[in-house]
Amino acid sequence: MVIHVRHFEESDREPLRLLYVASRDATFTWEPSGSHQAADFDKHTEGEIILVAVVEAEIRGFASIWEPDSFLHNLFVHPLHKRQGIGQALLKGCNPYFANTPTLKCLQANINAAQFYYSQGWITLRDETGPEGPYHLMAKRAPHGWVTP
């Protein structure tokens, strides 16, 4: 399977909206049914660099980065396509947009995501609580010298 990671194109918007809702519904099981809306994708990625993972002309996942802070804001893989290397490919595609130590917030309730990030070399800097609940503030130390903040 060849995973192609590319920049967002406007024609990706509707498929990514649907993927975002499907992924959040499948993952954030502690939230009420129907709490995720297609328009959330637009709101939660506004002003960010969006990378799209494509396999055989089908969008399978995306990542969004707030580049000024080297912050990985979103990384979602469609629930039917998890554990196929798509998340790893997206993380690798994000690297050029991290000028400093990359960070992310991972909800503590999202155990599978936390395990994924740990397996990719991310560490928890500290635990905090935000509007969506308790989360891990995580960072990645990369081979070319990023240093944990």
Side-chain angles (χ1 to χ4, degrees), residues 18-31:
L18 298 174
L19 184 150
Y20 192 53
V21 170
S23 186
R24 288 177 63 95
D25 284 349
T27 303
F28 296 9
T29 56
W30 57 89
E31 293 183 351

Side-chain angles (χ1 to χ4, degrees), residues 11-146:
S11 61
D12 300 330
R13 186 169 303 279
E14 193 56 31
L16 287 175
R17 286 173 173 161
L18 298 174
L19 184 150
Y20 192 53
V21 170
S23 186
R24 288 177 63 95
D25 284 349
T27 303
F28 296 9
T29 56
W30 57 89
E31 293 183 351
S33 177
S35 61
H36 306 116
Q37 305 299 316
D40 293 344
F41 171 81
D42 301 332
K43 182 171 55 174
H44 296 163
T45 60
E46 186 176 353
E48 298 181 343
I49 293 171
I50 303 171
L51 301 178
V52 180
V54 179
V55 176
E56 298 174 1
E58 181 185 344
I59 293 175
R60 302 276 176 94
F62 79 94
S64 71
I65 304 127
W66 179 251
E67 193 175 20
D69 294 334
S70 295
F71 182 73
L72 177 60
H73 187 209
N74 293 288
L75 192 152
F76 286 94
V77 174
H78 192 283
L80 297 177
H81 302 290
K82 291 190 175 212
R83 293 182 166 65
Q84 297 177 4
I86 296 166
Q88 290 173 322
L90 284 164
L91 277 179
K92 184 177 178 182
C94 291
N95 284 335
Y97 304 100
F98 298 142
N100 298 301
T101 302
T103 58
L104 62 84
K105 294 178 182 178
C106 180
L107 292 173
Q108 290 178 17
N110 196 348
I111 296 167
N112 290 333
Q115 290 175 340
F116 167 74
Y117 290 119
Y118 292 138
S119 77
Q120 301 304 304
W122 292 71
I123 60 169
T124 296
L125 298 176
R126 63 185 172 272
D127 291 329
E128 298 185 6
T129 300
E132 293 184 320
Y135 65 87
H136 305 293
L137 178 63
M138 303 179 82
K140 169 89 186 232
R141 181 176 171 93
H144 56 54
W146 288 321

